[in-house]
């Protein structure tokens, strides 16, 4: 079973996010970078499938050179090799361009199954997985919480409003992960030392077989980024008795918040 | 980069290292960073959600966490691969201690297990002993404890009264005695025990709990670290097979003292992690708590605290990884690995005894400053048990006591240096002589300064070394062989030596960071060093003068005081402005800012 994991490096959720002077990107100085959490589920699931069925796990990422750190983390978890397609302008690529680059690169790598996070926690578009499957002309199932492979079919569970649905498709195929699929393992210290010797193939966009103009052909552009509105402080309602406080609360809800 | 010079212990006092000779944390490899991240993941996923339960002293929980740590490899960085560990460098070990150091009681259980509990076997065990015990310890299946202290043998460790008597058939030793204040005492599966063979030959033993005659006392009621086990361990006609003698009969002190060296280093790394956590806590609170209509972080005195905590921790961190790299360089000179003979290991571990003591004392006192200011930033909320702050304050206090009190370590620092100088291992007396012959000891002259970044600070550091040598020279001259009795003088020497080592580690780090990333990116590093040196020099001068007054009189004294005065004049820097700069960064990032 040859398994590909599509992986993205994203800012850690606890990082301090500040908008850059252009108003449409973030300052990257103090940011801690991590593997996109949904992609961690993907790596874990790929490793479990490999452990059950044999084969190998290849990590593929489109990102800045720094993204090799995220690939290295996946290698330390147990993946076998990595491919990084890198370009300095990558943060301006739209999801379709990233998918086209990935699909182009994946034509060169044999695979039975591709696993991707269903979304990246930075741009939150939920597009790259499905779009890549479309471009490769293979079936896909999104937001999987359980899977089972027998012969050349994969059966997947996904949650829908009010219940679970079970779907099946033939391999080769692509699935995207949802929280609940698994509990990702740690990159262990011995794993980190082993990862040191595992190969990461770093390519430019051109080398990867993409011959377009990735920024020029990106159809979706970021216009402006705004930080979330700062939450106002709560107010403590004062009063001599509970009754008085309740009355004051009703007054505020009615007169100031105008919800009653 | 040029290769790092291999320093001997204490050599920093008589040489000026090139910046290439001092390792800085910014030079960590990709793997080092990944190890740090892995340890952090472990703490976030396994320890943080369980802190309250751990503090209730749960053997089952702590054991299960040690097992998970074992699976990730966090117990075995010092254990060679063939015995189930990773055989990593000391920088990696330091990183693991640094991260786990912020985990309250678990940090204590983990450090006693992986440090003083496991390392005696790593460095002094036979192949059979290593094969038998280390894989279990690395996996966290078995927990280890270190039994040195006795009711009448605390700081005076060799005064142990536990005895070991060889059986008539020569197959085992009978151990009798009581050890106290043993971390992991009620939980450990194996104990490293020191006892006197025939009542005189101080010897190490590996004792399994399963051996007949081992029992643990009741849990001590402690000021802090309440989630860790601390009990007495009693050996009553305990039968220990002769193959469990550790190293050689009568050579227990070699194990005990050398393991304490590395234990002190690890403690220093752990408390530095603890200090980093206090900075994060303090800055989060200072950003949230409002008084007089503003966050308290906007007030100068709170900023001052955040800056002081950060600067001191910066120096502590600089010390820790500098010492780690020194040890790694030293270990690399031998055929490092599982097969290194114990006598060779003993020499390696002894080499940086001074630096390890500095790491222990400096970093534990840094943590004390940090928890004290943390309580103050929290005010009343720092004093009530609803917040974790008062626990952190209580937990921190033990670090100045165990692994050799800070007082014992303050005696060891100048004591070891003077001993080595007398043995000709350190050219201390030559340097003192040179200074005495130097007729025109110059006063501050900006034209003679190194034009490089932090040139004044570098100059002041050299000056501090001279001031130290002048005072040490006077004290040795006066007290000769009885200097060991002058504890107050020795303690002040230790303080000067520690300050010099800390400032030098931070200074070189800042210079290197600026050289690599540009002065703009190194602005906080540079500010930290400027503030630190500005505040340190008057302290050094004060201690040196006290040593001189106690050691000399008449013209002899006044000449030397005049020299110290001349040397120590230099332009002060605006530390208020610089402290605010650092505090702003702490408030913005809500964590240790370096």
């Amino acid at each position: 079973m040859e398994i590909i994991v599509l992986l993205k490096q994203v800012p850690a959720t606890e990082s301090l996010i500040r908008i850059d002077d252009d108003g449409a990107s973030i300052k990257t100085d103090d940011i801690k970078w991590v593997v996109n959490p949904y992609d961690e589920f993907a790596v874990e699931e790929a490793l479990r499938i490999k452990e059950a069925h044999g084969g190998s796990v290849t990590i593929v990422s489109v990102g800045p050179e720094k993204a090799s750190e995220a690939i290295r983390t996946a290698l330390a978890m147990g993946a076998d090799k990595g491919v990084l397609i890198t370009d300095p302008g990558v943060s301006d690529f739209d999801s379709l361009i990233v998918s086209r680059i990935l699909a182009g690169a994946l034509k060169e790598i044999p695979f039975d199954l591709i696993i991707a996070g269903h979304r990246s926690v930075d741009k939150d578009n939920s597009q790259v997985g499905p779009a890549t499957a479309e471009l490769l002309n293979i079936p896909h199932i999104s937001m999987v919480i359980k899977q089972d492979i027998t012969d050349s079919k994969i059966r997947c569970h996904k949650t829908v409003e009010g219940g679970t649905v079970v779907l099946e498709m033939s391999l080769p195929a692509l699935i995207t992960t949802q929280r609940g699929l698994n509990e990702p393992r740690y990159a262990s210290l011995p794993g980190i030392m082993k990862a040191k010797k595992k190969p990461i193939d770093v390519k430019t966009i051109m080398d990867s077989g993409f011959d377009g103009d990735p920024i020029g052909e990106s159809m979706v552009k970021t216009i402006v980024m705004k930080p979330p509105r700062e939450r106002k402080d709560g107010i403590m309602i004062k009063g001599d008795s509970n009754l008085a406080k309740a009355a004051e609360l009703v007054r505020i809800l009615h007169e100031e918040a105008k919800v009653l | 980069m040029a290769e790092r010079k291999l320093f001997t212990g204490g050599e920093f006092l008589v040489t000026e290292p090139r910046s290439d000779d001092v390792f800085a944390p910014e030079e960590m490899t990709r793997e080092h960073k990944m190890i740090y991240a892995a340890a952090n993941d472990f703490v976030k996923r396994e320890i943080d959600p369980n802190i309250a339960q751990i503090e209730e002293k749960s053997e089952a929980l702590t054991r299960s966490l040690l097992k998970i740590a074992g699976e990730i490899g966090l117990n075995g960085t010092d254990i060679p691969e063939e015995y189930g560990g990773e055989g990593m460098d000391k920088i990696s070990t330091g990183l693991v201690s640094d991260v786990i150091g912020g985990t309250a009681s678990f940090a204590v259980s983990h450090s006693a297990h992986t440090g003083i509990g496991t390392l005696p076997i790593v460095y002094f065990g036979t192949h059979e002993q290593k094969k038998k015990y280390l894989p279990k310890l690395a996996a966290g299946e078995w927990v280890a404890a270190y039994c040195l202290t006795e009711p009448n043998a605390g700081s005076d460790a060799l005064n142990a009264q536990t005895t070991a008597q060889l059986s008539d058939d020569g197959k085992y030793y009978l151990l009798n005695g009581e050890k106290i204040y043993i971390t992991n005492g009620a939980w450990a599966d194996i104990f490293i025990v020191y006892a006197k063979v025939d009542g005189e030959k101080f010897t190490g033993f590996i004792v399994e709990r399963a051996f007949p005659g081992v029992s643990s006392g009741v849990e001590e009621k402690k000021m802090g670290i309440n989630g860790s086990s601390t009990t007495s361990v009693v050996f009553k006609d305990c039968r220990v097979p002769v193959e469990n003698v550790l190293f050689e009969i009568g050579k227990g002190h070699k194990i005990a003292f050398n393991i304490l060296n590395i234990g002190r280093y690890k403690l220093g790394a752990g408390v530095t992690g603890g200090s980093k956590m206090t900075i994060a806590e303090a800055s989060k609170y200072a950003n949230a708590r409002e008084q007089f209509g503003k966050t308290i972080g906007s007030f100068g005195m709170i900023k001052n605290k955040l800056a002081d905590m950060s600067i001191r921790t910066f120096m502590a961190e600089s010390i820790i990884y500098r010492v780690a790299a020194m040890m790694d360089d030293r270990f690399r000179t031998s055929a490092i690995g599982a097969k290194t003979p114990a006598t060779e290991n003993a020499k390696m571990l002894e080499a940086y005894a001074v630096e390890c003591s500095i790491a222990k004392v400096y970093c534990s006192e840094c943590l004390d400053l940090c928890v004290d200011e943390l309580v103050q930033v929290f005010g009343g909320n720092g004093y009530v048990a609803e917040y974790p702050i008062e626990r952190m304050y209580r937990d921190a206090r033990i670090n100045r006591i165990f692994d050799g009190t800070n007082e014992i370590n303050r005696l060891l620092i100048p004591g070891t240096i003077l001993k080595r100088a007398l043995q000709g291992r350190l050219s201390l007396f030559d340097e003192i002589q040179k200074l005495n012959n130097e007729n025109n000891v110059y006063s501050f002259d900006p034209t003679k300064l190194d034009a490089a970044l932090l040139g004044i600070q570098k100059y002041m550091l050299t000056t501090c070394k001279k001031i130290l040598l002048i005072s040490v020279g006077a004290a040795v001259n006066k007290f000769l062989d009885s200097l060991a009795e002058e504890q107050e003088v020795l303690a002040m020497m230790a303080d000067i030596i520690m300050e010099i080592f800390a400032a030098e580690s931070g200074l070189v780090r800042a210079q290197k960071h600026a050289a690599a990333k540009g002065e703009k990116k190194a602005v906080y590093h540079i500010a930290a060093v400027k503030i630190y040196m500005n505040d340190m020099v008057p302290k050094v001068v004060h201690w040196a003068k006290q040593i001189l007054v106690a050691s000399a009189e008449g013209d002899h004294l006044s000449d030397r005081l005049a020299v110290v005065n001349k040397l120590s004049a230099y332009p002060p820097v605006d530390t208020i402005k610089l402290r605010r700069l650092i505090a702003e960064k702490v408030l913005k990032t809500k964590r240790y800012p370096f």
Side-chain angles (χ1 to χ4, degrees):
Chain A
M1 183 77 52
E2 296 304 313
I3 310 157
I4 306 282
V5 173
L6 306 183
L7 179 143
K8 185 177 187 186
Q9 189 183 39
V10 296
T13 42
E14 77 260 28
S15 295
L16 178 80
I17 304 293
R18 287 172 300 146
I19 312 288
D20 210 343
D21 302 335
D22 66 1
S25 59
I26 58 167
K27 286 189 179 169
T28 51
D29 300 355
D30 289 324
I31 284 181
K32 196 181 138 207
W33 297 90
V34 295
V35 176
N36 177 39
Y38 291 92
D39 301 347
E40 276 189 346
F41 299 138
V43 175
E44 176 63 35
E45 204 62 15
L47 294 173
R48 289 183 190 191
I49 294 169
K50 178 189 152 183
E51 280 155 14
H53 299 271
S56 75
V57 176
T58 304
I59 310 295
V60 181
S61 184
V62 176
E65 273 176 43
K66 207 176 162 42
S68 68
E69 294 165 7
I71 297 179
R72 199 62 72 184
T73 302
L75 297 180
M77 287 170 75
D80 300 283
K81 53 186 185 291
V83 177
L84 173 63
I85 302 160
T86 184
D87 188 272
V90 72
S91 62
D92 293 326
F93 297 180
D94 73 6
S95 303
L96 186 57
I97 290 292
V98 172
S99 306
R100 282 169 58 193
I101 294 168
L102 284 168
L106 290 174
K107 283 182 184 138
E108 310 293 316
I109 312 173
F111 64 86
D112 301 295
L113 177 66
I114 302 173
I115 313 181
H118 94 81
R119 63 186 180 95
S120 62
V121 298
D122 54 352
K123 293 199 170 173
D124 228 351
N125 286 323
S126 304
Q127 292 179 4
V128 168
T132 305
E134 285 297 313
L135 292 167
L136 289 168
N137 203 22
I138 56 170
H140 86 269
I141 299 174
S142 60
M143 299 179 78
V144 171
I145 55 161
K146 186 173 178 244
Q147 61 73 31
D148 196 15
I149 295 172
T150 38
D151 301 326
S152 60
K153 287 188 174 6
I154 182 166
R155 184 172 284 198
C156 301
H157 292 233
K158 63 184 281 181
T159 348
V160 291
E161 184 75 38
T164 308
V165 60
V166 182
L167 302 159
E168 193 179 80
M169 59 183 171
S170 299
L171 298 177
L174 183 147
I175 62 172
T176 66
T177 64
Q178 170 63 308
R179 195 173 293 279
L181 176 62
N182 56 44
E183 178 72 25
R185 70 194 63 189
Y186 288 97
S188 71
L189 270 53
I192 290 168
M193 298 322 281
K194 275 186 207 139
K196 214 173 159 177
K197 297 186 193 93
K198 292 178 181 174
I200 298 181
D201 184 8
V202 182
K203 299 178 176 183
T204 62
I205 303 264
M206 294 258 277
D207 293 341
S208 78
F210 183 89
D211 58 1
D213 163 13
I215 295 182
E217 290 173 32
S218 282
M219 291 180 281
V220 180
K221 307 256 183 250
T222 305
I223 306 301
V224 69
M225 283 188 181
K226 288 183 183 166
R229 201 182 300 163
E230 275 189 41
R231 230 189 291 169
K232 277 196 202 154
D233 288 344
I235 19 173
M236 288 298 287
I237 291 171
K238 293 188 181 105
D240 297 335
S241 64
N242 286 343
L243 201 62
K245 286 182 196 166
E248 174 65 5
L249 175 63
V250 171
R251 188 195 66 76
I252 292 172
L253 290 174
H254 179 65
E255 292 174 15
E256 292 177 21
K258 297 192 197 311
V259 291
L260 287 180
Chain B
M1 195 198 302
E3 199 173 316
R4 272 197 301 273
K5 181 187 160 184
L6 185 66
F7 281 97
T8 57
E11 197 183 343
F12 66 93
L13 290 173
V14 290
T15 49
E16 299 227 359
R18 298 168 308 151
S19 63
D20 282 340
D21 294 334
V22 176
F23 177 82
E26 285 76 13
E27 297 168 289
M28 300 269 180
T29 64
R30 184 179 68 205
E31 281 69 33
H32 287 141
K33 287 176 192 159
M34 288 173 78
I35 290 167
Y36 188 82
N40 241 328
D41 258 12
F42 166 75
V43 168
K44 263 199 207 131
R45 273 162 67 176
E46 313 289 345
I47 307 291
D48 288 350
N50 287 314
I51 278 280
Q53 257 180 293
I54 293 171
E55 290 310 310
E56 280 167 24
K57 200 175 344 254
S58 162
E59 176 179 359
L61 178 59
T62 298
R63 271 184 181 276
S64 76
L65 293 169
L66 282 172
K67 264 194 197 155
I68 298 172
E71 282 162 26
I72 304 167
L74 300 174
N75 298 339
T77 48
D78 287 310
I79 298 175
E81 280 179 88
E82 69 166 295
Y83 302 118
E86 296 95 44
M88 287 177 164
D89 59 7
K90 293 283 170 274
I91 295 173
S92 303
T93 296
L95 284 167
V96 171
S97 299
D98 186 334
V99 176
I100 294 188
T103 61
S105 296
F106 181 76
V108 176
S109 310
H110 180 263
S111 140
H113 169 63
T114 59
I116 53 181
T118 296
L119 295 179
I121 302 177
V122 172
Y123 292 117
F124 295 93
T126 61
H127 171 63
E128 285 69 28
Q129 289 168 343
K130 290 176 187 175
K131 210 171 61 180
K132 183 167 180 194
Y133 295 111
L134 293 180
K136 287 198 175 81
L137 296 174
E141 257 175 71
W142 277 18
V143 175
Y146 187 75
C147 301
L148 178 61
T149 300
E150 293 186 11
N152 291 315
S155 290
D156 187 7
L158 295 181
N159 191 35
Q161 268 138 43
T162 300
T163 57
Q165 199 67 46
L166 189 62
S167 64
D168 293 340
D169 60 6
K171 287 189 176 150
Y172 55 87
Y173 282 92
L174 277 181
L175 260 60
N176 278 291
E178 184 189 12
K179 299 288 176 177
I180 58 166
Y181 303 150
I182 305 308
T183 304
N184 293 338
W187 305 343
D189 303 283
I190 70 155
F191 303 88
I192 304 300
V193 183
Y194 296 93
K196 285 183 173 165
V197 172
D198 302 329
E200 54 188 46
K201 285 168 262 173
F202 193 73
T203 305
F205 295 88
I206 306 169
V207 180
E208 296 181 21
R209 181 176 291 281
F211 291 167
V214 183
S215 61
S216 303
V218 293
E219 288 289 348
E220 300 288 351
K221 292 190 170 60
K222 293 171 293 194
M223 176 191 280
I225 54 168
N226 284 316
S228 67
S229 168
T230 310
T231 68
S232 63
V233 180
V234 179
F235 305 93
K236 197 163 179 228
D237 290 334
C238 171
R239 289 166 64 128
V240 181
V242 287
E243 55 268 26
N244 276 34
V245 168
L246 195 53
F247 197 38
E248 292 166 32
I249 302 283
K251 294 277 175 68
H253 60 285
K254 289 261 177 205
I255 312 170
F257 294 139
N258 286 315
I259 290 304
L260 280 177
N261 285 337
I262 192 106
R264 283 164 188 159
Y265 162 72
K266 274 175 75 106
L267 184 146
V271 292
T272 301
S275 297
K276 290 177 187 172
M277 200 173 70
T278 66
I279 296 164
E281 292 289 334
S283 60
K284 276 184 228 154
Y285 190 79
N287 270 311
R289 169 78 176 165
E290 289 189 9
Q291 284 292 279
F292 306 106
K294 291 180 185 172
T295 61
I296 61 170
S298 63
F299 297 120
M301 281 204 273
I302 299 292
K303 285 196 177 127
N304 209 60
K305 293 180 196 305
L306 296 175
D308 275 346
M309 293 159 81
S310 305
I311 295 163
R312 196 80 73 96
T313 305
F314 172 79
M315 298 300 164
E317 185 184 60
S318 308
I319 289 176
I320 288 302
Y321 293 103
R322 178 185 184 182
V323 176
M326 288 168 86
M327 288 194 281
D328 286 332
D329 292 346
R330 173 79 39 187
F331 272 105
R332 256 179 234 120
T333 61
S334 92
I336 182 178
K339 300 282 183 288
T340 314
T343 44
E344 192 66 17
N345 282 330
K347 268 190 230 158
M348 298 281 171
L349 296 171
E350 191 257 359
Y352 301 115
V354 170
E355 286 79 1
C356 289
S357 284
I358 293 176
K360 197 265 170 179
V361 176
Y362 188 93
C363 300
S364 64
E365 292 179 4
C366 168
L367 177 62
D368 255 13
L369 169 108
C370 287
V371 290
D372 189 67
E373 293 291 27
L374 176 63
V375 171
Q376 202 65 17
V377 169
F378 270 70
N381 285 339
Y383 201 72
V384 295
E386 198 184 327
Y387 291 81
I389 308 306
E390 61 88 32
R391 174 182 57 69
M392 290 162 80
Y393 184 77
R394 289 183 286 105
D395 285 348
R397 192 59 182 80
I398 188 61
N399 291 295
R400 278 165 54 197
I401 299 170
F402 61 17
D403 277 18
T405 63
N406 285 13
E407 287 67 29
I408 284 291
N409 277 290
R410 275 193 164 81
L411 297 179
L412 284 173
I413 292 165
T416 306
I417 285 170
L418 288 168
K419 198 167 84 187
R420 290 190 187 174
L422 286 169
Q423 290 167 344
R425 289 166 71 187
L426 200 61
S427 63
L428 190 78
F429 297 127
D430 296 347
E431 294 299 319
I432 293 174
Q433 199 55 47
K434 258 192 244 168
L435 266 183
N436 288 341
N437 298 342
E438 205 174 303
N439 290 324
N440 8 328
V441 177
Y442 49 89
S443 55
F444 184 76
D445 178 359
T447 60
K448 286 188 183 158
L449 282 184
D450 196 338
L453 181 69
L454 294 169
I456 297 179
Q457 283 70 27
K458 187 157 184 258
Y459 167 84
M460 290 314 298
L461 190 66
T462 310
T463 299
C464 287
K465 290 184 183 180
K466 286 184 184 169
I467 292 175
L468 172 76
L469 294 181
I470 291 169
S471 58
V472 169
V476 170
N477 205 25
K478 159 104 190 248
F479 298 108
L480 301 167
D481 294 343
S482 67
L483 187 55
E485 307 300 318
E486 304 299 318
Q487 293 201 343
E488 301 91 328
V489 167
L490 290 169
M492 284 189 275
M493 284 182 193
D495 283 326
I496 302 177
I497 294 166
M498 286 193 289
E499 293 293 339
I500 288 173
F501 192 65
E504 184 172 86
S505 308
L507 173 76
V508 176
R509 177 179 178 183
Q511 285 177 326
K512 285 178 110 165
H513 192 49
K517 299 276 164 148
E519 272 185 52
K520 199 165 162 252
K521 289 230 163 168
V523 58
Y524 303 102
H525 284 59
I526 294 167
V529 173
K530 283 184 176 170
I531 296 166
Y532 195 81
M533 292 289 300
N534 182 81
D535 296 356
M536 167 191 132
V537 175
K539 288 194 286 182
V540 168
V541 169
H542 164 75
W543 289 318
K545 284 183 178 175
Q546 287 297 306
I547 297 170
L548 287 172
V549 172
S551 309
E553 48 199 18
D555 286 351
H556 206 63
L557 173 64
S558 51
D559 285 357
R560 278 168 172 70
L561 288 175
V563 170
V564 169
N565 278 336
K566 240 173 147 187
L567 280 172
S568 60
Y570 77 108
V573 299
D574 183 354
T575 63
I576 296 174
K577 194 174 89 187
L578 293 176
R579 277 192 166 88
R580 284 186 184 174
L581 177 80
I582 290 176
E584 291 299 339
K585 166 104 172 170
V586 178
L587 286 163
K588 204 173 73 185
T589 55
K590 299 196 184 78
R591 61 178 171 81
Y592 170 67
F594 299 102

